[in-house]
Amino acid sequence: MQGTVLSLARLLTGFLRTKYIALTFGAIGIGFAAQGNILNLMCVSIGSLSLAIGVISRMNAPEIVNDRAKEKKLFQTVFTTQTFLCLLLIGFMMLFKKSLSERIFGSSDNELKLMLVVLGVPFTVTAAGYIEGILFGLNKFYQCSVWIFYIT
């Protein structure tokens, strides 16, 4: 049931965000938002490496279930890995922001838009790739639904 609520919340939030962009910026805004969303999804995939799924499966492993030290080490390892990858990604984007802006948005005048999308990636990775994995791993589906609703 909570998975359904989470999916519906994400769907509703996405619809409202798209409607707001359409009313505020028109068709050009929708195009930029679509390009920004695709860039964001790509960066989040690189930054998270789907480690949330690993967290969920490892937290239910018999050797970790009641061992707080191993659980803490797992969280620290995943968080450190994701933070390092996000910082590496931001550094890469900053080095090549002019050429990437031309390729993604069609003009090097849009470097600020590129950087705004990229600077949001660590927060998205933490929300979707870290907190979600921990809460699902602890079988706290309702709390996960609430967190993701507010973050999204």
Side-chain angles (χ1 to χ4, degrees):
M1 177 68 180
Q2 275 75 20
T4 304
V5 172
L6 180 60
S7 296
L8 288 174
R10 284 182 173 168
L11 186 65
L12 179 65
T13 306
F15 175 75
L16 292 174
R17 182 179 25 214
T18 304
K19 194 68 170 168
Y20 173 76
I21 291 170
L23 291 172
T24 308
F25 301 108
I28 293 173
I30 295 290
F32 274 125
Q35 289 172 322
N37 283 336
I38 290 170
L39 175 65
N40 188 25
L41 287 172
M42 182 188 72
C43 292
V44 167
S45 296
I46 293 169
S48 69
L49 289 177
S50 297
L51 290 174
I53 295 166
V55 168
I56 293 168
S57 65
R58 290 297 300 153
M59 286 186 64
N60 292 313
E63 65 269 7
I64 293 182
V65 169
N66 292 318
D67 190 348
R68 297 297 270 172
K70 287 183 181 179
E71 190 176 274
K72 187 176 177 182
K73 186 173 182 169
L74 174 68
F75 295 157
Q76 291 170 342
T77 303
V78 170
F79 186 76
T80 304
T81 303
Q82 290 179 339
T83 302
F84 175 74
L85 287 170
C86 287
L87 291 175
L88 193 67
L89 186 68
I90 289 171
F92 176 79
M93 292 292 194
M94 285 184 155
L95 283 174
F96 300 105
K97 66 183 173 185
K98 190 172 201 98
S99 63
L100 287 171
S101 177
E102 287 175 4
R103 287 185 171 83
I104 294 170
F105 293 112
S107 170
S108 62
D109 297 337
N110 296 313
E111 291 177 21
L112 178 64
K113 293 174 185 152
L114 176 76
M115 292 316 299
L116 288 174
V117 170
V118 172
L119 291 175
V121 168
F123 301 105
T124 308
V125 167
T126 301
Y130 185 70
I131 294 173
E132 188 174 353
I134 291 171
L135 291 175
F136 266 83
L138 293 171
N139 296 320
K140 297 187 178 191
F141 304 112
Y142 177 75
Q143 290 89 339
C144 184
S145 299
V146 171
W147 266 94
I148 297 301
F149 178 78
Y150 286 113
I151 291 169
T152 305

